Amino acid sequence: MSSAAKVAVIGGGVTGLTAAYYLKQAGATVRLFEGSDRVGGPVQSVRDGDWLVEAGPNSLQENSSDLTDLITELALDDARCAARPEAKNRYILKGGKPQAAPASPPALFSSSLFSFGAKLSIFKELLQRPRVRSADVSLADFVRSHFGDELVEYGLNPFVSGVYAGDPDQLSARHSFPSLWKIEQETGSIIRGQIKAAKARRAAGGPSGPPAIISFNEGLGTLPAALAAQIGSDDLGLNARIKSLIPGDLWGVVWNRAGETQVEEFDKVVLTLPAKPLADLTIGSLGERPLAELAEIIYPAVSSLFLGYRRDQVAHPLDGFGVLMPQSEHRQVLGVLFSSSLFEGRAPADHVGLTVMMGGVHRSDLGQADEATLLGVAQRELAEILGVSGEPVYQRLHQWPRAIPQYNLGYGQYLRAIESCEENHPGLLIGGHVRDGISLTNCISAGKKLAERVIG
């Protein structure tokens, strides 16, 4: 299709913004529709004096050239900030105490987080041969088959709580971590596969170490704001509720704003919505809902409570990224991010900022609880885990009733429904966190890929 196509992008999160940006760069006429009064979805940063609070994600892993290129194209290199050296440790709670996770093979030997048997299993894993599984398995069973129970309990489980707010016994290995699934098929050993990938990156001129953890001086909200500025306010339709899509030689987009219904025609339509809006969307003149089964996808509720304290109120050195909680520790929080240790400019001098994450698949009640309840839970947990005393001097709560899609076992049926919908409706393209991965980097790559598919 000609780059001068007229394209509707429906959904103003990071995927939709990225798709609209690249379509405009290619010369397409673009109209972006967003149902709320702002773009960016959960990627929001709130500056309140010397406090800087992230409403959703707190950092980006710079593990994609798509992300690096986009930052440069948006002239954000000077606004980019890397994680502080103070954030070197990743803590995992064990026996009620935060213990630093080993960051290298030598550190593994001296770590008290894992037993000698667990450490030995890591070296045995290097001997595993390639395998092709006849069926999907849970992420827990997948990792257990490589490293044993202890690594699942104190390695995988807290990691999944921090990333998905989910349960590794329910998540699909094939769909939640497709790179590991592929490594097992090609290499057998996950460790050998990752070493091989690191060598390939170095040979290609990429970084030799782990991907950088980054944000921006004024928070991650800088990114969607910069994308929106490039798209332009004239092409951003906020508070626009999509009623239906009418296929044809030209696609009719029926939308509503402030009680007024409008119809606009486009050559192609790009959908970057979450699962529930996709499921509810009618596509056709008879009210057909070809994506209705996506309503079954689980999205647990998550609360993000940012608490500010004087530095002398916190006994822990906070020399890390944060602390994650294995389910076996029976804590009421998913994890605590050391926000002011992670990046500069998140708290006033002589103060610290902590982001307490609550909710998820195992404690959905805390994902939607009132602020007083959440504060009480957070204070008890912080006192026991980090030695925090007294009342916070600052607090701000953000809640996400439908936070993160769970790529659980059987997720392939939803991906097939999306593929079938595209096949049956030429000119309709679908992408985003429901299809392409949940991380911000995934969403950026998904948006770029959608734009490339439109232009051909």
Side-chain angles (χ1 to χ4, degrees):
M1 173 168 282
S2 166
S3 61
K6 184 179 180 183
V7 184
V9 177
I10 300 174
V14 168
T15 301
L17 289 166
T18 304
Y21 166 75
Y22 279 113
L23 284 166
K24 288 203 74 168
Q25 293 295 108
T29 299
V30 178
R31 183 100 158 101
L32 188 147
F33 296 91
E34 165 56 36
S36 71
D37 61 0
R38 65 180 309 283
V39 296
V43 186
Q44 304 174 25
S45 305
V46 180
R47 168 64 73 184
D48 187 358
D50 289 332
W51 299 102
L52 180 62
V53 182
E54 298 286 12
N58 279 257
S59 63
L60 267 168
Q61 196 173 43
E62 195 171 1
N63 57 2
S64 163
S65 60
D66 289 339
L67 170 60
T68 303
D69 293 345
L70 183 61
I71 290 172
T72 299
E73 290 176 33
L74 295 174
L76 293 179
D77 284 311
D78 290 342
R80 175 188 181 279
C81 59
R84 301 169 70 189
E86 291 89 335
K88 61 183 181 298
N89 290 316
R90 270 54 170 175
Y91 286 99
I92 294 174
L93 199 71
K94 186 173 186 181
K97 303 294 182 184
Q99 298 193 36
S104 65
L108 179 67
F109 285 108
S110 59
S111 172
S112 59
L113 185 61
F114 299 113
S115 68
F116 175 77
K119 296 170 185 177
L120 185 62
S121 73
I122 294 173
F123 290 97
K124 288 181 178 177
E125 201 273 343
L126 287 163
L127 304 176
Q128 294 210 14
R129 310 311 306 167
R131 74 172 89 173
V132 177
R133 297 177 185 264
S134 59
D136 196 4
V137 296
S138 74
L139 184 61
D141 285 342
F142 179 89
V143 173
R144 188 177 290 112
S145 70
H146 284 263
F147 300 106
D149 289 332
E150 195 174 332
L151 267 293
V152 170
E153 182 179 0
Y154 283 100
L156 177 66
N157 186 282
F159 174 75
V160 166
S161 291
V163 173
Y164 271 93
D167 183 348
D169 285 306
Q170 299 178 33
L171 287 170
S172 154
R174 181 172 190 169
H175 297 297
S176 63
F177 286 91
S179 60
L180 297 185
W181 185 267
K182 184 179 179 182
I183 283 175
E184 185 188 62
Q185 289 181 319
E186 296 178 349
T187 310
S189 164
I190 292 173
I191 296 175
R192 286 207 324 273
Q194 291 179 327
I195 292 171
K196 181 180 177 181
K199 288 180 178 178
R201 284 195 300 271
R202 287 195 297 271
S208 57
I213 303 297
I214 66 166
S215 182
F216 302 96
N217 295 330
E218 290 301 314
L220 290 180
T222 300
L223 183 62
L227 286 165
Q230 289 293 318
I231 295 164
S233 57
D234 290 345
D235 295 322
L236 287 176
L238 299 178
N239 296 305
R241 302 279 179 175
I242 304 301
K243 304 296 287 184
S244 62
L245 303 177
I246 310 299
D249 292 336
L250 292 176
W251 279 81
V253 176
V254 183
W255 56 285
N256 181 284
R257 178 191 287 145
E260 181 182 350
T261 299
Q262 303 182 50
V263 181
E264 197 168 345
E265 291 186 328
F266 296 89
D267 295 298
K268 292 195 175 185
V269 175
V270 173
L271 297 176
T272 66
L273 298 166
K276 185 64 165 61
L278 286 173
D280 292 342
L281 188 62
T282 60
I283 303 176
S285 58
L286 301 177
E288 302 94 327
R289 292 170 53 214
L291 297 170
E293 64 184 292
L294 270 60
E296 301 168 0
I297 296 174
I298 296 170
Y299 278 71
V302 172
S303 295
S304 174
L305 180 61
F306 181 96
L307 298 175
Y309 292 94
R310 298 187 314 277
R311 185 65 188 88
D312 60 15
Q313 290 180 269
V314 184
H316 193 276
L318 302 180
D319 54 344
F321 189 101
V323 55
L324 293 172
M325 316 296 170
Q327 192 180 346
S328 59
E329 292 288 317
H330 305 294
R331 309 308 302 204
Q332 290 187 285
V333 301
L334 293 169
V336 182
L337 296 173
F338 304 162
S339 301
S340 55
S341 298
L342 188 52
F343 298 111
E344 298 279 357
R346 269 52 180 174
D350 300 319
H351 289 72
V352 297
L354 303 174
T355 301
V356 185
M357 308 301 295
M358 290 172 275
V361 295
H362 293 298
R363 289 302 308 267
S364 59
D365 57 318
L366 291 178
Q368 304 181 72
D370 62 85
E371 188 163 353
T373 298
L374 294 171
L375 178 61
V377 170
Q379 286 184 291
R380 288 192 298 273
E381 296 285 84
L382 291 176
E384 293 181 17
I385 295 168
L386 299 175
V388 176
S389 61
E391 298 295 316
V393 300
Y394 181 85
Q395 68 186 65
R396 186 177 286 267
L397 172 66
H398 292 94
Q399 290 182 296
W400 304 102
R402 294 177 59 82
I404 303 167
Q406 301 297 295
Y407 285 26
N408 284 344
L409 286 166
Y411 202 82
Q413 75 180 85
Y414 306 121
L415 299 178
R416 288 190 292 273
I418 292 172
E419 292 168 6
S420 176
C421 185
E422 285 188 338
E423 290 170 0
N424 293 331
H425 298 91
L428 182 67
L429 299 91
I430 306 168
H433 75 195
V434 76
R435 186 181 196 181
D436 301 294
I438 66 168
S439 75
L440 268 183
T441 310
N442 291 149
C443 291
I444 289 166
S445 294
K448 185 176 183 181
K449 181 173 69 175
L450 283 166
E452 291 170 344
R453 290 177 60 200
V454 169
I455 301 305

